[in-house]
Amino acid sequence: MTDKTKDELLADFVATSPGYYRDQFQKIGASAAFTWTFNWVAAVLGPIWFGMRGLWNWALTFVILEAFAYIQLGRGLFGDLGASARERIAQIEGTLEFRREQLQAAKDRNADNVDVFERTIKSLEDAIGDVQAEIAQLEAGAIWVALTGLVALIIVKAIAGIVANTALEKRYSDWLSDGSISAGLDPARTALAALFAVLVIGISVIHYAFPGAIGWLTDFPTDPGIRLDAIDKVEAFFAFIIESGEWFFQLITLGIRTVLDALEVLFVDTPWPVIGSFIILLTWLSAGSRAAIFAGAFLAYMGFLGFWEKAMTTLALLGTAACISIAIGIPVGLFCARRPRFYAIVRPIMDFMQTMPAFVFMIPVIAFFGTGKPAAVVTTMIFGGTPVVRLTVLGLRGVPETIREAAIAYGASKWFLLTKVDLPLAAPSILAGVNQTIMLSLAMVVVASLIGAKGLGEDVLEALQYASVGQGILAGFAILFCAMILDRIVQGKRD
């Protein structure tokens, strides 16, 4: 491209009207502020023009805006605005006919509740009258709906014409420095832009202006048997895993139960003055005297309100999940940090673990581990175990290469490089991952109580079931205070 003149480059890029675009680009480039120009072709073609020029972000924006404007035009000119109201009338008339039959039966047997049925029928008739008035009002306002669509369409077209030259000039500047950006008017891109705009706008207008005209636009064309077959296959798959891997799940349950029992002995069975003073001392050593005072106040809150044992049970459950997650997560993060291909495999798995709703992955967990505390620990680990891996990888990849190269140049072994260079420099990020794992694990306390986990989550769940506002708020504050104590212990005095 460097052998061509500026005019030739511009002509190659725009393909049509190079003189017009040369003048517009010079006008835009002459000022750092936004320059007002208007492209009539872009205004008329709208998203098609932006798509054919490769400006797909703008094309998608304008196809949505124009679709809304055309929908309003179609609804106002051709649509049945009172269709949903007429469906309500049909439902009310069905109920009204049933009430009239009840009224006649009550009259035939001289029942005492005749007046009740008469009042009900009168209210239903009044409701029909109100809906009919609503239909008349909607149909009378159809012209205003159409006018709204027309005004919106004019505004959208005007905006498209105003931003077109500026957007294209920016793409031209990018093209000059990056030859991979497509230029000119590619026929395939033009056809795709036109087809996409026509399909989106046309189908949307037909659906809203003529509801029910094309059935498959409303209901996806499918067969219920497909879903039933998929359900059977998934259930057969899990049944096979449960049957063939029973020993494996029992082994995991045994490991979780061992750690959990040890922490329950520490937190629950230990006398409260011992464990309370231990937590306060640990907070003081980690975060200072002020944090220790607050930790003591929070522990006193739990004790005086009768939450002590459940709070310690929660800490044992949380500690088990967090300890196992951290013990697995940090080594996995260390392994992934220097192996991008392996991390490319692990990362989608972690995305799945974080985005899948907790109530969904609780189903296979219950199938594999049953209900109770081990299943609750596994559920908590799935949800809260990913941050420590991500932030370990982030911290290790953030270690400056110059420092690592200097250490290697002085003869550092791999172990020395890891323990004396990488881990110390990545420690803030790794500790942040540990903190996030603990906080997310604590957020699962209430959800875990649904499958048999005891502790403070059980009080919150009970409060939800019986609408006990006081109990729910008090237990919620206890969970909050547990989180604050753990946060200060892990974060320490670091800013």
Side-chain angles (χ1 to χ4, degrees):
M1 291 195 302
T2 56
D3 296 335
K4 296 183 178 180
T5 64
K6 290 184 178 179
D7 289 343
E8 289 174 338
L9 290 172
L10 180 63
D12 290 342
F13 180 77
V14 298
T16 59
S17 305
Y20 167 79
Y21 286 110
R22 182 183 64 250
D23 296 339
Q24 299 301 315
F25 289 178
Q26 289 176 353
K27 183 179 178 182
I28 293 170
S31 174
F34 181 80
T35 303
W36 291 91
T37 63
F38 196 85
N39 190 320
W40 285 99
V41 178
V44 173
L45 295 180
I48 298 177
W49 184 90
F50 287 94
M52 61 194 290
R53 291 294 183 182
L55 301 167
W56 289 107
N57 290 337
W58 287 103
L60 292 175
T61 301
F62 283 112
V63 79
I64 293 172
L65 295 175
E66 287 197 12
F68 169 77
Y70 282 116
I71 286 170
Q72 293 299 90
L73 269 172
R75 290 179 65 237
L77 295 176
F78 310 107
D80 185 5
L81 301 181
S84 60
R86 290 191 182 90
E87 291 179 0
R88 294 209 309 271
I89 287 180
Q91 294 174 354
I92 295 173
E93 286 178 343
T95 305
L96 181 60
E97 182 63 26
F98 177 67
R99 295 303 182 191
R100 284 172 177 167
E101 293 176 359
Q102 288 182 319
L103 173 62
Q104 186 60 43
K107 287 181 177 180
D108 292 341
R109 64 175 185 271
N110 295 321
D112 297 333
N113 57 350
V114 171
D115 57 336
V116 175
F117 289 115
E118 289 177 344
R119 287 196 300 271
T120 302
I121 291 172
K122 180 65 169 59
S123 64
L124 291 173
E125 292 173 344
D126 293 341
I128 291 176
D130 293 339
V131 176
Q132 289 174 340
E134 180 184 348
I135 293 173
Q137 184 179 4
L138 290 172
E139 292 177 345
I143 185 62
W144 296 107
V145 175
L147 286 175
T148 300
L150 179 61
V151 171
L153 182 62
I154 294 172
I155 293 174
V156 172
K157 293 289 188 183
I159 295 174
I162 291 170
V163 304
N165 290 332
T166 302
L168 188 60
E169 192 273 339
K170 183 180 182 303
R171 182 175 175 82
Y172 174 62
S173 300
D174 295 338
W175 175 73
L176 290 176
S177 58
D178 185 0
S180 64
I181 297 176
S182 58
L185 295 177
D186 181 58
R189 189 170 65 240
T190 302
L192 177 62
L195 180 63
F196 179 74
V198 171
L199 281 178
V200 170
I201 295 175
I203 291 176
S204 299
V205 171
I206 292 173
H207 174 69
Y208 286 99
F210 308 100
I214 303 178
W216 58 267
L217 291 180
T218 303
D219 299 323
F220 193 92
T222 185
D223 183 1
I226 297 175
R227 178 170 175 266
L228 295 176
D229 291 341
I231 291 174
D232 292 339
K233 290 178 181 179
V234 171
E235 290 180 348
F237 174 72
F238 276 98
F240 171 76
I241 293 178
I242 294 170
E243 182 178 354
S244 59
E246 184 177 1
W247 63 271
F248 177 71
F249 299 121
Q250 289 180 349
L251 185 63
I252 294 177
T253 302
L254 178 62
I256 292 174
R257 176 61 67 183
T258 301
V259 178
L260 182 60
D261 289 344
L263 289 179
E264 284 188 339
V265 169
L266 174 64
F267 285 105
V268 180
D269 296 340
T270 303
W272 68 265
V274 176
I275 194 64
S277 59
F278 175 78
I279 293 174
I280 294 172
L281 178 61
L282 185 61
T283 307
W284 175 65
L285 293 174
S286 177
S289 58
R290 184 177 179 182
I293 293 172
F294 279 107
F298 295 156
L299 293 174
Y301 170 89
M302 300 175 199
F304 285 122
L305 292 179
F307 291 128
W308 182 267
E309 183 174 349
K310 292 187 176 181
M312 295 302 106
T313 302
T314 299
L315 288 177
L317 181 69
L318 167 66
T320 302
C323 289
I324 298 176
S325 297
I326 293 167
I328 296 174
I330 292 180
V332 171
L334 293 174
F335 190 80
C336 292
R338 306 303 176 193
R339 296 167 179 82
R341 292 183 179 178
F342 182 75
Y343 188 54
I345 299 173
V346 172
R347 186 166 53 189
I349 298 174
M350 294 192 298
D351 293 338
F352 171 80
M353 291 166 62
Q354 282 193 301
T355 55
M356 179 64 70
F359 292 101
V360 176
F361 59 68
M362 281 170 61
I363 298 172
V365 168
I366 294 173
F368 296 148
F369 299 97
T371 58
K373 292 181 179 180
V377 170
V378 174
T379 303
T380 305
M381 289 172 55
I382 293 174
F383 183 75
T386 57
V388 67
V389 179
R390 293 183 188 275
L391 289 173
T392 298
V393 173
L394 181 65
L396 290 173
R397 288 185 175 180
V399 176
E401 285 297 326
T402 54
I403 297 178
R404 301 185 80 250
E405 290 172 358
I408 294 172
Y410 279 100
S413 64
K414 290 185 178 180
W415 178 253
F416 184 91
L417 188 66
L418 175 65
T419 57
K420 301 299 183 181
V421 178
D422 290 340
L423 288 180
L425 292 176
S429 180
I430 296 174
L431 287 177
V434 171
N435 175 263
Q436 289 301 305
T437 291
I438 293 173
M439 294 301 105
L440 288 177
S441 298
L442 196 59
M444 289 292 292
V445 167
V446 179
V447 176
S449 65
L450 291 170
I451 55 176
K454 304 296 183 180
L456 294 171
E458 192 176 29
D459 282 60
V460 176
L461 181 62
E462 183 178 330
L464 287 171
Q465 292 174 338
Y466 299 103
S468 178
V469 178
Q471 176 179 331
I473 295 297
L474 293 176
F477 272 111
I479 296 174
L480 170 65
F481 293 153
C482 287
M484 294 175 69
I485 292 173
L486 292 173
D487 178 70
R488 297 320 304 156
I489 291 174
V490 174
Q491 291 295 330
K493 299 179 181 180
R494 295 187 302 108
D495 293 330

